[in-house]
Structure formats: C-alpha cells, structure tokens
Amino acid sequence: MNTPQRDFVPSFQLYGEPASATLPDLIHFETLKDRSQLHDWQIKPHRHYGLCQIMRFETPNVRIDLDGRSIRTRTATLLFLPPKAVHGFRFMPDVIGTVTTIPAELLGAQSPGTEPVLLEGGSDGFDRLIWLLNEMAREFHNHHPYRDRVIRSLAELALNWVERARLGAAAERSIDVTKQNSDKRLARFTALIEENFARNWSTADYADAIGISKAQLTRDCRAVMGSSPLQLIHARIVKEANRKLAYTPWPVSQVSEALGFTDMGYFSRFYRKCTGTTPTQYRARIKALMMKRN
C-alpha cells in the first residue's frame, strides 16, 4: 500500500504566522523590510492557500525562488503570486518595496489566475499596476467613505491588468519562438538554393527538403523577405546567369545548360521575363561598359 507523500512546503496566511490566522483587514499591505528584517532578510519557500500577492521590488538584486527556479531581479520588478505558488526570497538590507496581500475570495468570480507573473520596469502595464498599488496603499492607510468598495474595485482592476500583462508576455514569447523557427527555416532554404539552384528544383522540392509544407515556406518568405520562394529561386538563377554572361566566354547555350535548362530558347524567355532583356543584350551591355572603363 502506497503512503501518501507529505507536503513539506509550509503554508502561511502571512509569512511566519499560522495558516489558521485571518487577515486583520480587507487586504494587507506592508513594506518588504517590515517582515523580512524579522527573518534575517530571508523568506524561505512557502505558499499561501487562499491569498494572492503582488510584490513590488523597487531595488534590484532580490533573489526570488519561484516554484523550483531561482531568479535575480535586475531592475524595478513586479511579481504576482497566485494562491498555492511556492515562493521564497533573499533580500539585501537596503531593499525597498512592498507586498500587497489580497484574499482570493475578495475577488469573487474574478479568478486570480494560476501562474506567477513577473514584470520588469518598462514592460507593458507596469506603470499602470504601480499606480493601482499606490492607490490601494492609500486607501489601506486612510479610512475614507466607501473604503472597502474602492479597495475591492482596485484589487479587481489590478488583477485584470496582471492577466493582460501575462497574455501579452505569452504572445510576445510565441512571436519570438515563431520568428526563431521561421529564421531557421529560411536559413536552411537559402543554403539549399545555393546547393540546388541549377538543378531545376521546384518550391515543393525545397519545402520537402526542409521538412515543411509549400504553404509554410511561402508564408515564411513573404513575411521576412517580401517575396515568394519561386521569386527567390529565380533571382539566384539570374544572378548566376549574369556572372557567367559577364565573366565567361561561354555561348548562351552553354550558360543555359550550366543552369539546368535543356532548351536554350526557354532559358532566353525565362531570362527576359525576369530581367526585361535577353541574355545576348545583357552581355553586349556589359562588354560596352567594360570597354568604356578601359
């Protein structure tokens, strides 16, 4: 019989206080120094079951232990912690920052999310969240009419901004990965053109060699290079044709054959369609230019 594995990660309401304790107010707001200096500037990994927190680090070099990975902040940073996320910190004694603790039940139907969100200064939504945290702190310390309503509304709004920032960061990561994959495919395509432009390969042949569909190759080329795969293949053939017409004494028929054309007439029509001139006219123009220079 299997014995259930014990969870060794401690759970607190506020760090160092028993999990059965309740928050003294609608939300809880304190500076990082208030609590961390009581624990020699180290908050060991723990979790909160019914609370989410927004940590504001105004000074850098905070070590964050977050669900088994370690992160060190480099600049002003915001960290959203949903309920049950395992987290710990190592602060410097000069740390400046705050932690805002919000009961998940305060948000009602508004889900606090299940993944931590880390935002650095300058990222989308960062300044708005700072403003919201400042407003929550102001309401927390003052006791104006409708205080609880305002705090609840600000907390919900802050959570919406956190979720928007999370979705934005996920979209950016997706774009980055997509671009990296596209760049790799295009690098491979370019290399294959160099190897095979004289072998009369079709776009489908190149796509098969890369391991993608013809449609995907077309999307990549149009998105990054503004041309179709066939236009890029043809441009490389024309470039090689120009070199041979300019720098070799070969007749047009031999140039045509070297580039994989079995019919010189077809090569001439292809060349004219791509350049607006015939191979013979291009060679004559280049010869005239060379004579002028000499």
Side-chain angles (χ1 to χ4, degrees):
M1 179 173 154
N2 292 330
T3 303
Q5 195 172 24
R6 183 183 168 194
D7 187 351
F8 288 99
V9 179
S11 173
F12 299 109
Q13 283 293 84
L14 300 175
Y15 185 78
E17 299 180 14
S20 58
T22 56
L23 291 185
D25 204 338
L26 191 67
I27 64 170
H28 186 75
F29 178 89
E30 65 183 6
T31 69
L32 296 177
K33 279 187 177 181
D34 287 344
R35 192 162 297 267
S36 59
Q37 66 185 348
L38 301 176
H39 301 279
D40 195 26
W41 307 104
Q42 182 171 9
I43 304 297
K44 294 180 180 179
H46 64 286
R47 70 176 93 203
H48 310 284
Y49 274 92
L51 305 174
C52 47
Q53 292 183 314
I54 302 178
M55 317 284 294
R56 177 182 180 180
F57 310 118
E58 296 181 49
T59 47
N61 294 320
V62 175
R63 195 190 76 193
I64 305 170
D65 296 315
L66 187 60
D67 283 334
R69 58 195 175 106
S70 184
I71 304 163
R72 188 169 292 278
T73 64
R74 300 170 298 175
T75 183
T77 303
L78 289 174
L79 172 64
F80 169 74
L81 293 166
K84 302 182 185 180
V86 178
H87 56 282
F89 307 96
R90 182 71 185 180
F91 300 110
M92 303 297 288
D94 63 349
V95 66
I96 298 174
T98 59
V99 54
T100 304
T101 303
I102 306 168
E105 63 184 21
L106 177 71
L107 303 168
Q110 177 74 28
S111 169
T114 59
E115 294 295 327
V117 178
L118 194 70
L119 296 175
E120 290 189 337
S123 57
D124 188 38
F126 184 89
D127 290 340
R128 293 185 181 95
L129 278 166
I130 292 295
W131 180 84
L132 285 169
L133 290 175
N134 289 338
E135 288 299 306
M136 271 194 280
R138 189 175 292 113
E139 292 295 327
F140 177 82
H141 291 298
N142 295 314
H143 288 269
H144 297 307
Y146 302 105
R147 173 181 181 270
D148 287 4
R149 280 194 207 175
V150 172
I151 287 176
R152 188 188 302 272
S153 297
L154 289 169
E156 290 179 353
L157 189 54
L159 197 64
N160 283 324
W161 276 111
V162 165
E163 184 63 11
R164 179 177 287 183
R166 184 189 69 77
L167 292 173
E172 284 182 13
R173 285 195 298 272
S174 176
I175 290 169
D176 287 344
V177 170
T178 300
K179 185 178 184 307
Q180 288 171 10
N181 291 338
S182 175
D183 289 346
K184 287 178 183 177
R185 292 192 294 263
L186 287 175
R188 178 66 178 142
F189 178 49
T190 302
L192 285 169
I193 290 177
E194 286 300 314
E195 296 169 8
N196 301 286
F197 68 83
R199 295 177 60 189
N200 210 15
W201 275 24
S202 66
T203 300
D205 292 327
Y206 283 101
D208 288 343
I210 297 168
I212 59 176
S213 67
K214 180 180 173 182
Q216 181 63 64
L217 180 58
T218 299
R219 285 194 294 271
D220 288 343
C221 290
R222 289 199 180 279
V224 178
M225 299 184 172
S227 301
S228 71
L230 193 60
Q231 287 172 322
L232 296 170
I233 297 164
H234 286 176
R236 182 62 184 91
I237 294 171
V238 168
K239 182 179 179 181
E240 193 64 25
N242 288 344
R243 285 175 177 170
K244 287 179 167 45
L245 291 168
Y247 300 113
T248 74
W250 296 358
V252 173
S253 59
Q254 190 174 349
V255 172
S256 169
E257 186 178 346
L259 294 174
F261 291 84
T262 55
D263 183 337
M264 189 185 80
Y266 178 69
F267 168 68
S268 294
R269 289 192 296 276
F270 162 82
Y271 186 89
R272 183 165 192 165
K273 183 178 179 181
C274 292
T275 67
T277 188
T278 67
T280 303
Q281 289 169 335
Y282 174 80
R283 172 171 271 170
R285 189 168 75 250
I286 291 297
K287 279 185 178 178
L289 284 172
M290 287 180 173
M291 287 176 64
K292 237 184 225 187
R293 288 174 186 167
N294 293 334

